Amino acid sequence: MTDAAINIGEWCHALATELFPICRSITGNGVRQTLARLALHLPSMVVHEVPSGTRCLDWTVPDEWNIRDAYILAPDGQKLCDFQRHNLHVVGYSEPVDAMLSLEELRPHLYTRPDLPDAIPYVTSYYKRRWGFCLTQRDFDSLRPGQYRVVIDATLAPGSLTYGEVLIPGETGEEVLLSTYICHPSMGNNELSGPVVAAALARWIGSLPQRRYSYRILFIPETIGSIVYISRNLKELRERVRAGFIVNCCGDERVYSFLPSRAGDTLSDRMALHVLRHHASDFVRYDFSDRGSDERQYCSPGVDLPIASIMRSKYSAYPEYHTSLDDLSLITPRGLAGAYDAFSRSILGIERNRRYRTTVLGEPNLGSRGLYPTLSQVGGAGAAKIRYMMDVLAYSDGEHDLLAIADIIGCPIWELYDILRSLVENELLELVE
Amino acid sequence: MTDAAINIGEWCHALATELFPICRSITGNGVRQTLARLALHLPSMVVHEVPSGTRCLDWTVPDEWNIRDAYILAPDGQKLCDFQRHNLHVVGYSEPVDAMLSLEELRPHLYTRPDLPDAIPYVTSYYKRRWGFCLTQRDFDSLRPGQYRVVIDATLAPGSLTYGEVLIPGETGEEVLLSTYICHPSMGNNELSGPVVAAALARWIGSLPQRRYSYRILFIPETIGSIVYISRNLKELRERVRAGFIVNCCGDERVYSFLPSRAGDTLSDRMALHVLRHHASDFVRYDFSDRGSDERQYCSPGVDLPIASIMRSKYSAYPEYHTSLDDLSLITPRGLAGAYDAFSRSILGIERNRRYRTTVLGEPNLGSRGLYPTLSQVGGAGAAKIRYMMDVLAYSDGEHDLLAIADIIGCPIWELYDILRSLVENELLELVE
Amino acid sequence: MTDAAINIGEWCHALATELFPICRSITGNGVRQTLARLALHLPSMVVHEVPSGTRCLDWTVPDEWNIRDAYILAPDGQKLCDFQRHNLHVVGYSEPVDAMLSLEELRPHLYTRPDLPDAIPYVTSYYKRRWGFCLTQRDFDSLRPGQYRVVIDATLAPGSLTYGEVLIPGETGEEVLLSTYICHPSMGNNELSGPVVAAALARWIGSLPQRRYSYRILFIPETIGSIVYISRNLKELRERVRAGFIVNCCGDERVYSFLPSRAGDTLSDRMALHVLRHHASDFVRYDFSDRGSDERQYCSPGVDLPIASIMRSKYSAYPEYHTSLDDLSLITPRGLAGAYDAFSRSILGIERNRRYRTTVLGEPNLGSRGLYPTLSQVGGAGAAKIRYMMDVLAYSDGEHDLLAIADIIGCPIWELYDILRSLVENELLELVE
């Protein structure tokens, strides 16, 4: 990994550390604060507010949830499940409460992970009004009979759903979509890794001297956010989006993961698989039936966008998932940088992936153009070096795109960019379409 | 296996026991007696008689064969190869004979299985006039020189070829074809298992409250029977038959077998493979080049019907095949019931296999319809239960049929019927076509 | 291997021995002498001369090179790198020189193979004027300081490029192309094996009583030869050539090799793979990206001919490649005969590969035509023998060609020729198209 990549990883981790304490949910001020901080780095971000009650596809934007404090006072006066210490202690979207309950009455409102006795689980109840607390199994086991005071100082009332959108224009109206989540409270891999890597990618894309595609980068709450977004932009999305990725669970160092679009063979799928094969050949390849992120909406019948996922440890597939153990120590600069690299290579690959046609019949005379050694000798210097050039020429028939050629010859697409430029400059290849 | 299934297996085995002693061949009174007994359970059966000499495709209906008695009297007066003890003792379609022969003269007319010294082989000579006897190698070896009297009291004369046909009407004129054999003398797996399982299936199909397809169930002699049937019904078969199976060799317990249609990817093939994968994942998968049953006719060029075979131990692939060892002890209620289950699951799958389209864009709000848990929690109850529902919705794009969806998500199609009904009732799916 | 095949192998090896001493290059009198000797066996050969300077596709025909003598005189008077002893001692296309040089000045003009200390390497410099000598590493290491006289008595001047063409007419204008090289100096597998096997094939093709295809057999210098040929015959080649092979590296006994056309699934590819599977199932299967012969031109975009390679040890893939160790002992009558067999089987396969349709519906009555045993008995004689006949009938639907049928049933296509003739004679099959 290059120093530059590590630097980006450090930048991502620092941003995640800054965003970590904010209590996010699918609506509310935590989302707005998060977007505001991201916008410091992405000045072109437009923040949208969609009123509660708005119909979108088969759903309705829910009431807005804001929480100020929450805790349980034990019979001995001890403060338990203190929201100020960890925002996972409160079930997401809990309705307000201030009551005295016996332990028996309290228990149905408590959630633990018996299999991870030191973890506070992440639990939400967006669409049914209830309240609850999450705590470690160890703390749960130490609860003694008696009267408990439960306090959740929250508001659940009409407001709006908030999301951020960055549009980076390119030479054409064709678009690449990146989509990430800003609805998770204090957790690391799932999900602060997504928004910070997406922010880093957006800055890099904006800095490119040239872009064939326009880029649409969404910072949205999961599920309801993409449903809202699709309901407002379906026609545009279907007409413009040529490729795209969900950016989530991309911060730890353990593994790379790929989850395809529903169609499975879109440009996004082909490119992500190509990049991962060369970037981290031991990546885990999931099926669409393992899905659990917003490809559920983007790839649903009638929406049918070409959206795949490149991840590190996939949601549901690592032990700390959806608990307090998925914290800032789980994600690392190196882990974030690795994901950033895989995404940026995929995006660059999509930018550069074109179809070319040779301008001459038969192999061109490369020697006359100074592109070929003049002495033929077994093992001669340059023989290996020009092999890829010959291959690019041999397969540039106007049918194979550069990605197909790279796959056929078993070489990372990024090693072909210089060769391609040289062949185009020498007028041996011309662009098709 | 359910009690109901075992009961059907018992019913099948009892019927096979009843039919076992009858001496069947490709024509003759044994066929008529067999059809008459089957018709007691299938009152709508129509019995057809096709006169000897009738041209059918490239063949001619042969003379009718009827046999009353046959035996060999040894020099010591002992009765050998007594037809009354086992009808396999006589070569099928033997011409009548009553003669004295020396052992040397007799030998060319005797057939044994040296590799199975206690088995009487099953030998026929339908299209060349000859006579012969079959006996165990052990009996053959004990023959002593001397004069033998051979008697075959048979008639080989113009008559007719007999077959039975059951038509069970459905909502549409599209048909599923089942075809089985009533031409084998006293053998079990090949072939009384076929007609008794076909009879059980016909009774069950007739009892279904609703049928999309019509069902055509044929009880015919092998080869010449399907050739006769095709020659008389080709246009109808080609226009109507959407799927179908040969029902044969489906009575023992050792294994399940699958043999495809010539095309290999018809609805029959896809469904039978799907059912067997979930019903008996260690089934043996044969190629069409291993064929040896009436797919030879139904799948021949220009006929091209979508007919596959679901079997237990396949013809030619078990040691007792075409000998007296393939008797009523080889087939069992459990073996017959297993085949019945595989066929009935396939037929039900064909009935239920449709293409659906979601009525809403994006994932529907299942929670609002009471179809989804309202609390999101890792490992939460119901998470596993609703997975299939989400998958059916995700793939119901009007292109994938239910079978394709079941194959993608790796679940038996029959586990999707309730889910599908629920989604249709909730107006989340609509039928395509 | 049959005696006839061995005889052809002997014939090939004798012809190679005769041609071996001639110093060939991409132009010059060595090419003319080689073609003249080949023409003794192939009287219909037309020899073409293409003037130096002629533009062809992206190339120009180079000056003609002729060499009379070359050597180095060591300070002690010893003659080194004597062209008369081995023509590999001179770098191909060396310009004339006669000069005194110190060892230091000489060294940049000397080429060795340090990894093969007893081998003289094969080095050429067709398109850049230079001169040089090739010698064993052992000789190189024994050179002492002092003044060396270097002499290359050669001419590099306008003349022409020479190639031979044999056209063997068939019933149709559709063609099979064979292409081989006559530009290599004294080496065996690469490349005298190619022209001698191509000559033997041409004689055999010419002797066939009947040919559906016409045959175009080219004896050309590598790369520039095919480029010249394509530039003069592109329209004809594209319109007529239905299949074809490069004939090169086909003389040793070690292995069989296959290298596909760029398209990969042409008739040539399918047939060569089929033949090699049955002829030498342990053959090595290369990819088009391993190419290095004239498929680089014939399969280039816009030319797109269906040309594959059947080889013994492939160029670049055996240790003696492009050195003096690739001599007449490396190629053997047996090795050459094996390649000849693979080619002739492929050619015959291409000739015989047609699509047929059954004339009757259902299985024909083979017994009535004497093509089927009349007695049905397990393991009966003939059962195995007629299996292929039944398979040919079962798959002759006008869609599968004979090659596809042979591949489905896993049988060499040549075992189906007699069966096919018998079925056509019995009017059970008719030719399609």
Side-chain angles (χ1 to χ4, degrees), chain B residues 57-59 111-113 122-125 128 130 234 262 288-291 296-297 300-303 321-322, chain C residues 358 360-365 369 374-378 387 390-391 393-397 400 408-409 428:
Chain B
L57 304 183
D58 194 45
W59 299 69
Y111 302 92
T112 68
R113 280 286 296 272
Y122 168 48
V123 180
T124 64
S125 181
K128 162 133 197 218
R130 54 161 69 86
L234 180 62
R262 190 165 70 92
F288 186 70
S289 60
D290 300 308
R291 73 196 175 285
R296 286 155 42 213
Q297 315 311 328
S300 63
V303 180
Y321 171 67
H322 271 196
Chain C
T358 54
V360 299
L361 289 171
E363 284 187 338
N365 186 337
R369 294 172 174 85
T374 53
L375 185 79
S376 164
Q377 186 185 8
V378 168
R387 184 79 216 187
M390 304 301 287
D391 283 336
L393 286 165
Y395 288 104
S396 286
D397 52 8
H400 292 89
I408 288 171
I409 67 181
L428 288 171

Side-chain angles (χ1 to χ4, degrees), chain B residues 85-116:
Chain B
R85 297 188 58 181
H86 208 305
N87 52 34
L88 286 181
H89 275 309
V90 182
V91 167
Y93 258 67
S94 278
E95 57 188 352
V97 66
D98 186 344
M100 292 298 293
L101 284 83
S102 71
L103 181 55
E104 286 65 43
E105 291 166 324
L106 176 60
R107 272 203 183 112
H109 295 275
L110 301 183
Y111 302 92
T112 68
R113 280 286 296 272
D115 57 321
L116 290 173

Side-chain angles (χ1 to χ4, degrees), chain C residues 24 44 63 84 124 150 165 229 234 250 272 323 336-337 427:
Chain C
R24 280 164 294 273
S44 68
D63 280 352
Q84 306 302 340
T124 65
V150 293
E165 181 176 24
Y229 193 84
L234 180 62
C250 51
T323 75
L336 294 155
E427 295 182 359

Side-chain angles (χ1 to χ4, degrees), chain C residues 154-291:
Chain C
T155 318
L156 194 46
S160 60
L161 176 149
T162 315
Y163 69 87
E165 181 176 24
V166 175
L167 264 167
I168 307 174
E171 291 161 16
T172 71
E174 301 189 331
E175 291 183 6
V176 174
L177 175 69
L178 302 178
S179 184
T180 191
Y181 306 131
I182 41 63
C183 60
H184 292 71
S186 299
M187 287 178 292
N189 193 49
N190 179 226
E191 191 65 84
L192 275 172
S193 66
V196 301
V197 167
L201 289 168
R203 280 158 50 95
W204 166 72
I205 292 165
S207 75
L208 291 174
Q210 207 181 11
R211 281 178 299 278
R212 182 150 66 105
Y213 291 102
S214 299
Y215 288 80
R216 189 181 291 251
I217 305 165
L218 305 181
F219 298 84
I220 56 176
E222 197 171 354
T223 306
I224 187 68
S226 55
I227 285 168
V228 164
Y229 193 84
I230 291 166
S231 77
R232 303 173 116 207
N233 300 279
L234 180 62
K235 188 162 173 292
E236 218 173 336
L237 289 169
R238 287 182 58 92
E239 282 172 10
R240 297 191 184 174
V241 173
R242 295 292 176 273
F245 301 101
I246 313 277
V247 185
N248 74 157
C249 294
C250 51
D252 73 340
E253 290 187 20
R254 285 177 283 198
V255 76
Y256 284 87
S257 306
F258 169 76
L259 192 133
S261 75
R262 189 164 70 92
D265 58 354
T266 69
L267 176 56
S268 315
D269 297 295
R270 291 172 60 216
M271 189 60 76
L273 282 168
H274 175 85
V275 166
L276 287 175
R277 274 189 206 109
H278 292 283
H279 180 81
S281 59
D282 57 346
F283 73 99
V284 180
R285 185 171 177 169
Y286 289 95
D287 290 331
F288 186 70
S289 60
D290 300 308
R291 73 197 174 284

Side-chain angles (χ1 to χ4, degrees), chain A residues 153-176:
Chain A
D153 177 15
T155 319
L156 192 47
S160 60
L161 176 149
T162 314
Y163 68 88
E165 180 176 25
V166 175
L167 263 167
I168 308 175
E171 291 161 16
T172 69
E174 301 189 331
E175 291 184 6
V176 175

Side-chain angles (χ1 to χ4, degrees), chain A residues 15 23 44 82 124 177 195-196 206 221 232 245 251 301 324 328 423 427:
Chain A
L15 182 56
C23 181
S44 68
D82 185 356
T124 65
L177 174 70
V196 300
R232 302 173 119 208
F245 301 100
S324 57
L328 285 171
L423 292 173
E427 295 182 359

